[in-house]
Amino acid sequence: MVTKPKGCHDIYGTEAKKWQYVNKVIDSLMEKYNYSYIRTPIFESSEVFHRGMGETTDVVTKETYDFVDRANRKMTLRPEGTAGIVRSYIENKMYGNMPNPVKLYYNGTMYRYERPQSGRDRELTQFGVELLGSDDPLSDAEVISIPVNLFKILGLQEIKVKINSLGDNASRNNYREALKKYFEPHISSFCEDCQERFVKNPLRILDCKVDKDNPILKNAPKTLDYLNEESNLRFEKVKEYLKALEVDYEVDPKLVRGLDYYNHTVFEIEAHVEGFGSNNVLGAGGRYNGLVELLDGPKTPGVGFACGIGRLMMALDLENIDLDIKDDVEIFVMAVSDTEKNYAVTLVQSLRMSGFKVEMDYTDRNLKGQFKQADRLNAKYLIILNDKDLAKNEIKVKNNITKEEITLELDYLLYYFDEVLQDEEYINENEDLTSDIECSCHHHDCKCHHEEGE
Ligand code: HAM
């Protein structure tokens, strides 16, 4: 039997329904924030990621899926969204032909050749946003609040937001020098990768998974002690806005993040539910004011984040959150004879085009078998076609829950279902899945499920 590649997943059945639900919540939330959806290629010229994410980052040195195409071009399956989106921002001159700031969101698969384990996949899905063209600390805070609000809407309780600042380039350089001085006498006791990091980018040492418990690493200088005044003030502003946005956070002076493009604000949001394991960062991001220039675009500030949807689904499961997924069929149309079946085909189409979720039999089951199938699919209503009724322009409808049966005139059928099924809508584009965001639970007409004051 051929099996799926390591670190990849088949998402189907109820799990797929949950993913679709979460995706709809994301789309609906992004609409409210006025972010527009962007889809960039799943592979790019290798250069985009090598230059964008940094030659010395673990992702680029060890984890990319690189290949040479038939014309000998070096290509890479995208390990993340940011570098490709910045490439697209520059190539499509979005800085000139879209309102500034440009607010983009994406939701798609990324590829990293990592050692597969719980929460660490080779094919992963990220939802993320990139806000390009604003250096206002408000944009940092708002970007952090997006995943926080998403998790809130979905019902997650056990999350922790960690923030830090790397400061501007001058602060970062000061810090880099301080780290070099600090590590120099001890570097031979660190892993081989760290010895290379020491030369190329000492900040990376703080991110090392091998030496993470080394006390020398634990006592290393902290970024915040090296921020210049301007960077410090900026970080204070971000924190003020986070308070205004009611985002609870913790400052973690050791947080540096694993990609090279960051400066100023960096953040991570962790799941703290029991049983999650060590790969518990649900979403992460930060500011990257130099990246657009690095990829040959005009000097443009940027900030963004990405959230691993697989990890988010794990957190929802571990917190036992029941998403409001309705899997049942609204109407099952039963037909046995050829004339009944021909009639059913047209009827099913017309009901579906009228907006109902409708099923019929595709495997020549007898009537008893069709009743059983309707039960398996949790059908709410059954239409039982029968040649005699059809000859009289009538139709039998059975409520499969109360078992009540009625005979209707054919012309009245759509009106009838409009009436009985109108309150039982499935998630659709019109449904406001984000209405909980501003819920204070004091309004008598609030549709949220919270208790007063919760
Ligand atoms: P990242 O920290 O590499 O940042 O990934 C963001 C999130 O993607 C992680 O917090 C995690 O939830 C998920 N993730 C990453 N790798 C894996 C994996 N192997 N398996 C499962 N989930 C994973 C970025 O990718 C940046 N582009 C974020 C960003 C956007 N910064 C600015 N804008």
Side-chain angles (χ1 to χ4, degrees), residues 331-352 358-362 370 383-387 390 395 410 413:
I331 305 164
F332 191 103
V333 178
M334 307 174 119
V336 178
S337 75
D338 279 351
T339 41
E340 288 162 9
K341 193 166 173 182
N342 280 343
Y343 192 88
V345 170
T346 315
L347 179 62
V348 165
Q349 170 163 275
S350 119
L351 287 165
R352 284 176 179 160
V358 188
E359 264 286 14
M360 63 180 292
D361 173 59
Y362 301 89
Q370 292 188 32
I383 291 181
I384 308 158
L385 294 181
N386 132 355
D387 289 331
L390 290 177
I395 213 151
L410 267 173
L413 193 67

Side-chain angles (χ1 to χ4, degrees), residues 114 118-121 276 279-282 308-316:
E114 302 207 65
S118 170
R120 197 170 285 283
D121 302 314
F276 205 96
N279 298 314
N280 68 338
V281 182
L282 297 183
I309 304 277
R311 290 190 192 176
L312 170 58
M313 302 314 282
M314 270 171 65
L316 291 170

Side-chain angles (χ1 to χ4, degrees), residues 103-125:
K103 295 162 71 177
L104 305 167
Y105 85 99
Y106 53 97
N107 187 346
T109 46
M110 313 290 159
Y111 299 85
R112 298 186 184 186
Y113 195 82
E114 302 207 65
R115 203 160 57 80
Q117 47 188 275
S118 170
R120 197 170 285 283
D121 302 314
R122 288 187 173 167
E123 183 181 69
L124 55 131
T125 305

Side-chain angles (χ1 to χ4, degrees), residues 8-33:
C8 297
H9 298 275
D10 298 317
I11 312 287
Y12 64 96
T14 310
E15 205 191 346
K17 293 255 171 206
K18 289 187 189 170
W19 279 66
Q20 286 182 303
Y21 182 92
V22 168
N23 286 342
K24 279 182 176 154
V25 175
I26 289 170
D27 289 337
S28 172
L29 185 66
M30 286 294 84
E31 177 85 23
K32 307 285 157 66
Y33 278 92

Side-chain angles (χ1 to χ4, degrees), residues 24 75 171 180 189 193 236 262 269 271 275 347 392 416:
K24 279 182 176 154
M75 297 290 173
S171 309
K180 274 207 123 164
S189 69
D193 281 348
E236 288 308 310
Y262 294 113
I269 305 174
L347 179 62
K392 289 188 276 175
Y416 174 77

Side-chain angles (χ1 to χ4, degrees), residues 79-82 106 112 114 119-121 124 126 129-130 257 259 261-262 281-286 288 303-308 311:
E80 58 117 41
T82 313
Y106 53 97
R112 298 186 184 186
E114 302 207 65
R120 197 170 285 283
D121 302 314
L124 55 131
Q126 282 184 344
V129 312
E130 310 299 347
R257 307 271 303 119
L259 312 173
Y261 47 59
Y262 294 113
V281 182
L282 297 183
Y288 48 86
V303 60
F305 83 90
C307 155
R311 290 190 192 176

